[in-house]
Coordinates of all heavy atoms in Angstrom, one line a residue:
M244 N 42.0 -4.7 -76.7 CA 41.4 -5.9 -77.2 C 42.3 -6.4 -78.3 O 42.6 -5.6 -79.2 CB 40.0 -5.5 -77.7 CG 39.3 -6.7 -78.4 SD 37.7 -6.3 -78.9 CE 36.8 -7.5 -78.0
A245 N 42.6 -7.6 -78.3 CA 43.5 -8.2 -79.2 C 42.7 -8.4 -80.6 O 41.5 -8.6 -80.6 CB 44.1 -9.5 -78.8
N246 N 43.5 -8.3 -81.6 CA 42.9 -8.6 -83.0 C 43.2 -10.0 -83.4 O 44.3 -10.4 -83.7 CB 43.5 -7.6 -84.0 CG 42.9 -7.9 -85.4 OD1 42.2 -8.7 -85.6 ND2 43.4 -7.0 -86.4
D247 N 42.1 -10.9 -83.3 CA 42.2 -12.3 -83.5 C 42.5 -12.6 -85.0 O 42.8 -13.8 -85.3 CB 41.1 -13.1 -83.0 CG 41.1 -12.9 -81.5 OD1 42.2 -12.8 -80.8 OD2 40.0 -13.2 -80.8
T248 N 42.2 -11.7 -85.9 CA 42.3 -11.9 -87.3 C 43.6 -11.6 -87.9 O 43.9 -11.7 -89.1 CB 41.2 -11.2 -88.1 OG1 41.3 -9.8 -87.9 CG2 39.9 -11.7 -87.6
A249 N 44.6 -11.0 -87.0 CA 45.8 -10.5 -87.6 C 46.7 -11.7 -87.9 O 46.6 -12.7 -87.2 CB 46.5 -9.6 -86.4
P250 N 47.4 -11.6 -89.1 CA 48.3 -12.7 -89.4 C 49.4 -12.9 -88.4 O 49.8 -12.1 -87.8 CB 48.8 -12.4 -90.7 CG 48.6 -10.9 -90.9 CD 47.5 -10.5 -89.9
A251 N 49.8 -14.2 -88.3 CA 50.9 -14.5 -87.4 C 52.2 -13.9 -88.0 O 52.3 -13.8 -89.4 CB 51.0 -15.9 -87.2
P252 N 53.2 -13.5 -87.2 CA 54.4 -12.9 -87.8 C 55.1 -14.0 -88.6 O 55.1 -15.2 -88.3 CB 55.3 -12.5 -86.6 CG 54.5 -12.9 -85.4 CD 53.2 -13.5 -85.9
V253 N 55.8 -13.6 -89.7 CA 56.4 -14.6 -90.6 C 57.8 -14.7 -90.1 O 58.6 -13.7 -89.7 CB 56.5 -14.0 -92.1 CG1 57.3 -14.9 -92.9 CG2 55.1 -13.8 -92.6
T254 N 58.2 -16.0 -89.9 CA 59.6 -16.4 -89.5 C 60.4 -16.7 -90.7 O 60.1 -17.5 -91.5 CB 59.6 -17.5 -88.5 OG1 58.7 -17.2 -87.5 CG2 60.9 -17.9 -88.0
P255 N 61.7 -16.1 -91.0 CA 62.4 -16.4 -92.1 C 62.9 -17.9 -92.0 O 63.2 -18.4 -90.9 CB 63.5 -15.4 -92.1 CG 63.2 -14.4 -90.9 CD 62.1 -15.0 -90.1
V256 N 63.0 -18.4 -93.1 CA 63.6 -19.8 -93.2 C 65.0 -19.7 -93.0 O 65.6 -18.8 -93.8 CB 63.1 -20.4 -94.6 CG1 63.8 -21.7 -94.8 CG2 61.7 -20.5 -94.7
E257 N 65.6 -20.5 -92.3 CA 67.1 -20.6 -92.2 C 67.6 -21.5 -93.2 O 67.1 -22.7 -93.2 CB 67.5 -21.0 -90.7 CG 67.2 -19.9 -89.7 CD 67.9 -18.7 -89.9 OE1 69.2 -18.8 -90.2 OE2 67.4 -17.6 -89.5
F258 N 68.6 -21.2 -93.9 CA 69.1 -22.0 -95.0 C 70.5 -22.5 -94.5 O 71.2 -21.7 -94.1 CB 69.3 -21.3 -96.3 CG 68.0 -21.1 -97.1 CD1 67.4 -19.8 -97.0 CD2 67.5 -22.1 -97.8 CE1 66.3 -19.7 -97.7 CE2 66.3 -21.9 -98.6 CZ 65.7 -20.7 -98.5
T259 N 70.7 -23.7 -94.8 CA 72.1 -24.3 -94.6 C 72.8 -23.8 -96.0 O 72.2 -23.4 -96.9 CB 72.1 -25.8 -94.7 OG1 71.6 -26.4 -96.0 CG2 71.3 -26.4 -93.6
P260 N 74.2 -23.8 -96.0 CA 74.9 -23.4 -97.1 C 74.6 -24.2 -98.4 O 74.4 -23.7 -99.5 CB 76.4 -23.5 -96.7 CG 76.3 -23.4 -95.3 CD 75.1 -24.0 -94.8
Q261 N 74.2 -25.6 -98.1 CA 74.0 -26.5 -99.3 C 72.6 -26.1 -99.9 O 72.3 -26.0 -101.1 CB 74.0 -27.9 -98.9 CG 73.8 -28.8 -100.0 CD 74.7 -28.6 -101.3 OE1 75.9 -28.7 -101.0 NE2 74.2 -28.4 -102.4
R262 N 71.6 -25.8 -98.9 CA 70.3 -25.5 -99.4 C 70.1 -24.2 -100.1 O 69.5 -24.0 -101.1 CB 69.4 -25.4 -98.2 CG 67.9 -25.4 -98.5 CD 67.1 -25.7 -97.3 NE 65.7 -25.4 -97.6 CZ 64.8 -25.4 -96.7 NH1 64.9 -25.6 -95.5 NH2 63.5 -25.3 -97.2
R263 N 70.9 -23.2 -99.6 CA 71.0 -21.9 -100.3 C 71.6 -22.0 -101.7 O 71.1 -21.5 -102.7 CB 71.7 -20.8 -99.6 CG 71.6 -19.5 -100.1 CD 72.3 -18.4 -99.2 NE 72.0 -18.4 -97.7 CZ 70.9 -17.9 -97.4 NH1 70.0 -17.3 -98.2 NH2 70.6 -18.0 -96.1
A264 N 72.8 -22.8 -101.7 CA 73.3 -23.1 -103.1 C 72.4 -23.7 -104.0 O 72.3 -23.4 -105.2 CB 74.6 -24.0 -102.9
D265 N 71.6 -24.7 -103.6 CA 70.6 -25.4 -104.5 C 69.7 -24.4 -105.0 O 69.1 -24.5 -106.0 CB 70.0 -26.5 -103.7 CG 70.9 -27.7 -103.4 OD1 72.0 -27.8 -104.0 OD2 70.5 -28.5 -102.5
L266 N 69.2 -23.5 -104.0 CA 68.1 -22.5 -104.4 C 68.6 -21.6 -105.6 O 68.0 -21.4 -106.5 CB 67.6 -21.7 -103.2 CG 66.8 -20.5 -103.4 CD1 65.5 -21.0 -104.0 CD2 66.5 -19.7 -102.1
M267 N 69.9 -21.2 -105.3 CA 70.5 -20.2 -106.3 C 70.7 -20.9 -107.6 O 70.4 -20.2 -108.7 CB 71.8 -19.6 -105.8 CG 71.5 -18.6 -104.6 SD 73.0 -17.8 -104.0 CE 73.8 -19.1 -103.3
R268 N 71.1 -22.2 -107.6 CA 71.1 -22.9 -108.9 C 69.8 -23.0 -109.6 O 69.8 -22.8 -110.9 CB 71.7 -24.2 -108.8 CG 73.3 -24.2 -108.7 CD 73.9 -25.6 -108.7 NE 73.6 -26.5 -107.5 CZ 74.3 -26.5 -106.5 NH1 75.3 -25.7 -106.3 NH2 73.9 -27.2 -105.5
A269 N 68.8 -23.3 -108.7 CA 67.4 -23.4 -109.3 C 66.9 -22.2 -109.9 O 66.3 -22.2 -111.1 CB 66.4 -23.9 -108.3
I270 N 67.2 -21.0 -109.3 CA 66.8 -19.7 -109.8 C 67.6 -19.4 -111.0 O 67.1 -19.0 -112.1 CB 67.1 -18.6 -108.8 CG1 66.1 -18.7 -107.6 CG2 66.7 -17.3 -109.5 CD1 66.4 -18.0 -106.4
S271 N 68.9 -19.7 -111.1 CA 69.7 -19.4 -112.3 C 69.3 -20.3 -113.5 O 69.2 -19.8 -114.5 CB 71.2 -19.8 -112.0 OG 71.8 -18.9 -111.1
R272 N 68.9 -21.5 -113.2 CA 68.4 -22.4 -114.3 C 66.9 -21.9 -114.9 O 66.8 -21.8 -116.0 CB 68.3 -23.8 -113.9 CG 69.5 -24.6 -113.9 CD 69.3 -26.2 -113.6 NE 68.4 -26.5 -112.5 CZ 68.8 -26.7 -111.3 NH1 70.1 -26.7 -111.1 NH2 68.1 -26.9 -110.3
A273 N 66.1 -21.4 -114.0 CA 64.7 -20.9 -114.3 C 64.8 -19.6 -115.0 O 64.1 -19.4 -115.8 CB 63.9 -20.9 -113.0
Y274 N 65.9 -18.9 -114.7 CA 65.9 -17.5 -115.3 C 67.3 -17.3 -116.1 O 67.8 -16.2 -116.0 CB 65.7 -16.4 -114.1 CG 64.4 -16.4 -113.7 CD1 64.2 -17.2 -112.4 CD2 63.3 -16.0 -114.2 CE1 62.9 -17.3 -111.8 CE2 62.1 -16.0 -113.7 CZ 61.8 -16.7 -112.4 OH 60.6 -16.9 -111.9
S275 N 67.6 -18.2 -116.8 CA 68.8 -18.1 -117.6 C 68.5 -16.9 -118.6 O 67.3 -16.8 -119.1 CB 69.1 -19.4 -118.5 OG 70.0 -19.3 -119.2
P276 N 69.4 -16.1 -118.9 CA 70.8 -16.2 -118.7 C 71.4 -15.4 -117.5 O 72.6 -15.0 -117.5 CB 71.3 -15.4 -120.0 CG 70.3 -14.4 -120.3 CD 69.1 -15.0 -119.7
Y277 N 70.5 -15.2 -116.5 CA 71.0 -14.6 -115.2 C 71.9 -15.4 -114.4 O 71.7 -16.7 -114.3 CB 69.9 -14.1 -114.5 CG 69.3 -12.9 -115.0 CD1 68.3 -12.8 -116.0 CD2 69.7 -11.7 -114.5 CE1 67.9 -11.7 -116.6 CE2 69.1 -10.4 -115.0 CZ 68.2 -10.5 -116.0 OH 67.6 -9.4 -116.6
R278 N 72.9 -14.9 -113.8 CA 73.8 -15.6 -112.8 C 73.3 -15.1 -111.4 O 73.3 -13.9 -111.2 CB 75.3 -15.3 -113.0 CG 76.2 -16.2 -112.1 CD 77.6 -15.9 -112.5 NE 78.2 -14.7 -111.9 CZ 78.4 -14.5 -110.6 NH1 78.2 -15.4 -109.8 NH2 79.0 -13.4 -110.3
V279 N 73.1 -16.0 -110.5 CA 72.5 -15.6 -109.2 C 73.4 -15.8 -108.2 O 74.2 -17.0 -108.2 CB 71.1 -16.4 -108.9 CG1 70.6 -16.1 -107.6 CG2 70.2 -16.1 -110.0
W280 N 73.7 -15.1 -107.2 CA 74.6 -15.2 -106.0 C 73.9 -14.6 -104.8 O 73.0 -13.9 -104.9 CB 75.9 -14.8 -106.3 CG 76.2 -13.4 -106.2 CD1 76.7 -12.7 -105.2 CD2 76.0 -12.4 -107.3 NE1 76.8 -11.4 -105.6 CE2 76.5 -11.1 -106.8 CE3 75.6 -12.5 -108.6 CZ2 76.5 -10.1 -107.6 CZ3 75.5 -11.4 -109.3 CH2 75.9 -10.1 -108.8
W281 N 74.4 -14.9 -103.6 CA 74.0 -14.4 -102.4 C 75.2 -13.9 -101.5 O 76.2 -14.6 -101.4 CB 73.2 -15.4 -101.7 CG 72.8 -15.0 -100.2 CD1 71.6 -14.4 -100.0 CD2 73.3 -15.3 -98.9 NE1 71.3 -14.3 -98.7 CE2 72.5 -14.8 -98.0 CE3 74.5 -16.0 -98.6 CZ2 72.8 -15.0 -96.8 CZ3 74.7 -16.0 -97.2 CH2 74.0 -15.5 -96.3
T282 N 75.1 -12.7 -101.0 CA 76.1 -12.2 -100.1 C 75.5 -11.2 -99.1 O 74.6 -10.4 -99.5 CB 77.3 -11.7 -100.8 OG1 78.3 -11.4 -99.8 CG2 76.9 -10.5 -101.6
A283 N 75.9 -11.2 -97.9 CA 75.5 -10.2 -96.9 C 74.0 -10.1 -96.9 O 73.3 -9.0 -96.7 CB 76.0 -8.8 -97.2
D284 N 73.2 -11.3 -96.9 CA 71.8 -11.6 -96.7 C 71.1 -10.9 -97.9 O 69.9 -10.5 -97.8 CB 71.4 -10.9 -95.3 CG 71.9 -11.7 -94.2 OD1 72.1 -13.0 -94.2 OD2 72.1 -11.0 -93.2
V285 N 71.7 -10.8 -99.0 CA 71.0 -10.1 -100.3 C 71.3 -11.1 -101.4 O 72.4 -11.5 -101.5 CB 71.5 -8.7 -100.6 CG1 70.9 -8.2 -101.8 CG2 71.3 -7.7 -99.4
Y286 N 70.1 -11.4 -102.2 CA 70.3 -12.2 -103.3 C 70.5 -11.2 -104.5 O 69.8 -10.2 -104.6 CB 69.0 -12.9 -103.7 CG 68.8 -14.0 -102.6 CD1 68.0 -13.9 -101.4 CD2 69.2 -15.3 -102.9 CE1 67.8 -14.8 -100.6 CE2 69.1 -16.3 -101.9 CZ 68.4 -16.1 -100.8 OH 68.0 -17.0 -99.9
Y287 N 71.5 -11.6 -105.5 CA 71.8 -10.7 -106.7 C 71.6 -11.7 -107.9 O 71.8 -12.9 -107.8 CB 73.2 -10.3 -106.6 CG 73.4 -9.4 -105.4 CD1 73.9 -9.8 -104.2 CD2 73.4 -8.0 -105.6 CE1 74.1 -8.9 -103.1 CE2 73.6 -7.2 -104.6 CZ 74.0 -7.6 -103.4 OH 74.2 -6.7 -102.3
A288 N 71.3 -11.0 -109.0 CA 71.3 -11.7 -110.2 C 71.7 -10.7 -111.4 O 71.2 -9.6 -111.5 CB 69.8 -12.1 -110.7
T289 N 72.8 -11.1 -112.1 CA 73.3 -10.3 -113.1 C 73.0 -10.8 -114.4 O 73.2 -12.1 -114.6 CB 74.8 -10.2 -113.0 OG1 75.1 -9.6 -111.7 CG2 75.5 -9.4 -114.1
G290 N 72.5 -10.1 -115.5 CA 72.2 -10.6 -116.7 C 72.2 -9.5 -117.7 O 72.4 -8.3 -117.3
P291 N 71.8 -9.9 -118.9 CA 71.9 -8.9 -120.0 C 70.8 -8.0 -120.0 O 69.5 -8.3 -119.5 CB 71.8 -9.8 -121.3 CG 71.1 -10.9 -120.8 CD 71.4 -11.2 -119.4
T292 N 70.8 -6.7 -120.6 CA 69.7 -5.9 -120.8 C 69.4 -6.0 -122.3 O 70.1 -6.6 -123.1 CB 70.3 -4.4 -120.7 OG1 71.2 -4.1 -121.6 CG2 70.6 -4.2 -119.2
R293 N 68.1 -5.6 -122.7 CA 67.8 -5.6 -124.1 C 68.6 -4.8 -125.0 O 68.8 -5.0 -126.2 CB 66.3 -5.2 -124.1 CG 65.4 -6.1 -123.4 CD 64.0 -5.6 -123.5 NE 63.3 -6.6 -122.5 CZ 62.0 -6.6 -122.5 NH1 61.3 -5.9 -123.3 NH2 61.5 -7.4 -121.6
E294 N 69.4 -3.7 -124.5 CA 70.3 -2.9 -125.2 C 71.7 -3.5 -125.5 O 72.5 -2.8 -126.1 CB 70.3 -1.5 -124.6 CG 69.1 -0.8 -124.4 CD 68.2 -1.3 -123.4 OE1 68.7 -1.8 -122.2 OE2 66.9 -1.0 -123.4
G295 N 71.8 -4.7 -124.8 CA 73.2 -5.3 -125.0 C 74.1 -5.1 -123.9 O 75.2 -5.7 -124.0
G296 N 73.8 -4.4 -123.0 CA 74.6 -4.2 -121.8 C 74.3 -5.3 -120.6 O 73.8 -6.3 -121.0
S297 N 74.7 -4.9 -119.5 CA 74.2 -5.9 -118.3 C 73.7 -5.0 -117.2 O 74.0 -3.9 -117.1 CB 75.5 -6.7 -117.9 OG 76.5 -5.9 -117.4
H298 N 73.0 -5.7 -116.4 CA 72.5 -5.1 -115.1 C 72.3 -6.1 -114.0 O 72.4 -7.3 -114.3 CB 71.2 -4.4 -115.3 CG 70.1 -5.3 -115.7 ND1 68.7 -5.1 -115.4 CD2 69.9 -6.4 -116.3 CE1 68.0 -6.1 -115.8 NE2 68.8 -6.9 -116.3
T299 N 72.3 -5.6 -112.9 CA 72.2 -6.5 -111.7 C 70.8 -6.2 -110.9 O 70.7 -5.0 -110.5 CB 73.4 -6.3 -110.7 OG1 74.6 -6.6 -111.5 CG2 73.4 -7.2 -109.5
L300 N 70.1 -7.2 -110.6 CA 69.0 -7.1 -109.9 C 69.3 -7.6 -108.5 O 70.2 -8.4 -108.3 CB 67.7 -7.9 -110.3 CG 67.4 -7.6 -111.8 CD1 66.5 -8.6 -112.3 CD2 66.9 -6.2 -112.0
H301 N 68.6 -7.0 -107.4 CA 68.9 -7.5 -106.1 C 67.6 -7.4 -105.2 O 66.7 -6.6 -105.3 CB 70.1 -6.8 -105.5 CG 69.8 -5.2 -105.3 ND1 69.2 -4.7 -104.3 CD2 70.1 -4.3 -106.2 CE1 69.1 -3.3 -104.5 NE2 69.7 -3.1 -105.6
D302 N 67.6 -8.4 -104.1 CA 66.5 -8.3 -103.2 C 67.0 -9.1 -102.0 O 67.7 -10.1 -102.2 CB 65.2 -8.8 -103.8 CG 64.0 -8.3 -103.0 OD1 63.7 -8.7 -101.9 OD2 63.3 -7.5 -103.7
V303 N 66.4 -8.9 -100.8 CA 66.7 -9.7 -99.6 C 65.8 -10.9 -99.6 O 66.1 -11.8 -98.8 CB 66.5 -8.9 -98.3 CG1 67.5 -7.7 -98.2 CG2 65.0 -8.3 -98.1
N304 N 64.8 -11.0 -100.5 CA 63.9 -12.1 -100.6 C 64.1 -12.8 -101.8 O 63.9 -12.2 -102.9 CB 62.5 -11.6 -100.4 CG 61.5 -12.7 -100.3 OD1 61.3 -13.2 -101.4 ND2 61.0 -13.0 -99.2
A305 N 64.4 -14.1 -101.9 CA 64.6 -14.8 -103.1 C 63.3 -14.9 -104.0 O 63.4 -14.6 -105.2 CB 65.0 -16.3 -102.8
G306 N 62.0 -15.0 -103.5 CA 61.0 -15.0 -104.1 C 60.7 -13.6 -104.9 O 60.4 -13.5 -106.0
D307 N 61.1 -12.5 -104.1 CA 60.8 -11.2 -104.7 C 61.8 -11.0 -105.9 O 61.6 -10.3 -106.9 CB 61.0 -10.1 -103.7 CG 59.8 -10.1 -102.7 OD1 58.7 -10.5 -103.2 OD2 59.8 -9.5 -101.7
L308 N 63.1 -11.6 -105.7 CA 64.0 -11.4 -106.7 C 63.6 -12.2 -108.1 O 63.7 -11.8 -109.1 CB 65.4 -12.1 -106.4 CG 66.5 -12.1 -107.4 CD1 66.8 -10.7 -107.9 CD2 67.7 -12.9 -107.0
C309 N 63.0 -13.3 -107.8 CA 62.3 -14.1 -109.0 C 61.3 -13.3 -109.6 O 61.2 -13.3 -110.9 CB 61.7 -15.3 -108.5 SG 63.0 -16.6 -108.0
K310 N 60.5 -12.4 -108.9 CA 59.6 -11.6 -109.6 C 60.2 -10.6 -110.6 O 59.7 -10.4 -111.5 CB 58.6 -10.9 -108.5 CG 57.8 -11.9 -107.8 CD 57.0 -11.2 -106.6 CE 56.2 -12.2 -105.8 NZ 55.5 -11.5 -104.7
Q311 N 61.3 -10.0 -110.0 CA 62.0 -9.0 -110.7 C 62.6 -9.6 -112.0 O 62.6 -9.1 -113.0 CB 63.2 -8.5 -109.9 CG 62.9 -7.5 -108.8 CD 64.0 -7.0 -108.1 OE1 64.9 -6.6 -108.8 NE2 64.1 -7.2 -106.9
L312 N 63.0 -10.9 -111.8 CA 63.7 -11.7 -113.1 C 62.6 -12.0 -114.0 O 62.8 -11.8 -115.3 CB 64.3 -13.0 -112.5 CG 65.6 -12.7 -111.8 CD1 66.1 -14.1 -111.0 CD2 66.8 -12.3 -112.8
A313 N 61.5 -12.4 -113.6 CA 60.2 -12.6 -114.6 C 60.0 -11.3 -115.3 O 59.7 -11.4 -116.5 CB 59.1 -13.1 -113.7
R314 N 59.9 -10.2 -114.6 CA 59.6 -9.0 -115.4 C 60.7 -8.6 -116.3 O 60.4 -8.2 -117.4 CB 59.4 -7.8 -114.2 CG 58.1 -7.8 -113.6 CD 57.8 -6.5 -113.0 NE 58.8 -6.2 -111.8 CZ 58.7 -6.6 -110.7 NH1 57.8 -7.4 -110.1 NH2 59.7 -6.3 -109.6
A315 N 62.0 -8.9 -115.9 CA 63.1 -8.5 -116.8 C 63.0 -9.2 -117.9 O 63.5 -8.9 -119.1 CB 64.4 -8.5 -116.1
L316 N 62.6 -10.4 -117.9 CA 62.6 -11.5 -119.0 C 61.3 -11.4 -119.7 O 61.1 -12.1 -120.7 CB 62.9 -12.8 -118.6 CG 64.4 -13.0 -118.1 CD1 64.6 -14.3 -117.4 CD2 65.3 -12.8 -119.2
G317 N 60.3 -10.5 -119.3 CA 59.0 -10.4 -120.0 C 58.1 -11.6 -119.8 O 57.4 -12.0 -120.6
R318 N 58.3 -12.3 -118.6 CA 57.5 -13.5 -118.4 C 56.3 -13.2 -117.4 O 56.5 -12.1 -116.6 CB 58.3 -14.6 -117.7 CG 59.4 -15.1 -118.7 CD 60.2 -16.1 -117.9 NE 61.4 -16.6 -118.7 CZ 62.3 -17.3 -118.1 NH1 62.2 -17.8 -116.9 NH2 63.4 -17.6 -118.9
E319 N 55.4 -13.9 -117.3 CA 54.3 -13.7 -116.3 C 54.4 -14.8 -115.3 O 54.6 -15.9 -115.6 CB 52.9 -13.7 -117.0 CG 52.5 -12.7 -117.9 CD 51.2 -12.7 -118.4 OE1 50.3 -13.3 -117.6 OE2 50.9 -12.3 -119.5
G320 N 54.4 -14.4 -114.0 CA 54.5 -15.3 -113.0 C 55.9 -15.7 -112.6 O 56.9 -15.5 -113.4
V321 N 56.1 -16.3 -111.6 CA 57.3 -16.8 -111.0 C 57.5 -18.2 -111.4 O 56.6 -19.0 -111.1 CB 57.4 -16.6 -109.5 CG1 58.7 -17.2 -108.9 CG2 57.4 -15.1 -109.2
E322 N 58.7 -18.7 -111.8 CA 59.0 -20.1 -112.2 C 60.2 -20.5 -111.4 O 61.0 -19.9 -111.1 CB 59.2 -20.2 -113.6 CG 58.3 -19.6 -114.6 CD 58.9 -19.3 -115.9 OE1 60.0 -19.9 -116.3 OE2 58.3 -18.7 -116.8
L323 N 60.0 -21.8 -110.9 CA 61.1 -22.5 -110.3 C 61.0 -23.9 -110.6 O 59.9 -24.5 -110.7 CB 61.2 -22.3 -108.8 CG 62.0 -21.0 -108.4 CD1 62.2 -21.0 -106.8 CD2 63.3 -20.9 -108.9

């Protein structure tokens, strides 16, 4: 018997190079002073630590990277 209440599978959004660049610029602006880039299907963000060093966050999902950035900056919720 099929489960009619099961959620439909999520289909990833395909980004054009321009759309991905726009997304990364928006994330970088929202989470300054982090620099955001994407390579090999992973989003990265490099920024300062509270101790004066630097660190890099990463995730395959841009939204999840934003959650990490919000936590790193002591913010509540995701901003874009």
Side-chain angles (χ1 to χ4, degrees):
M244 176 179 244
N246 182 352
D247 294 332
T248 61
V253 176
T254 303
V256 174
E257 292 295 325
F258 284 102
T259 63
Q261 182 61 51
R262 189 170 178 188
R263 188 175 309 281
D265 292 344
L266 174 63
M267 289 184 292
R268 274 192 297 275
I270 294 170
S271 291
R272 280 192 307 268
Y274 296 100
S275 179
Y277 281 84
R278 186 176 80 73
V279 178
W280 77 96
W281 176 86
T282 188
D284 295 330
V285 178
Y286 292 91
Y287 295 89
T289 299
T292 63
R293 294 177 190 194
E294 297 80 27
S297 67
H298 66 147
T299 301
L300 305 171
H301 58 82
D302 205 291
V303 296
N304 181 288
D307 290 339
L308 178 64
C309 289
K310 291 175 187 175
Q311 290 182 51
L312 289 164
R314 281 192 303 272
L316 292 170
R318 300 180 187 172
E319 290 190 26
V321 172
E322 305 165 10
L323 272 188

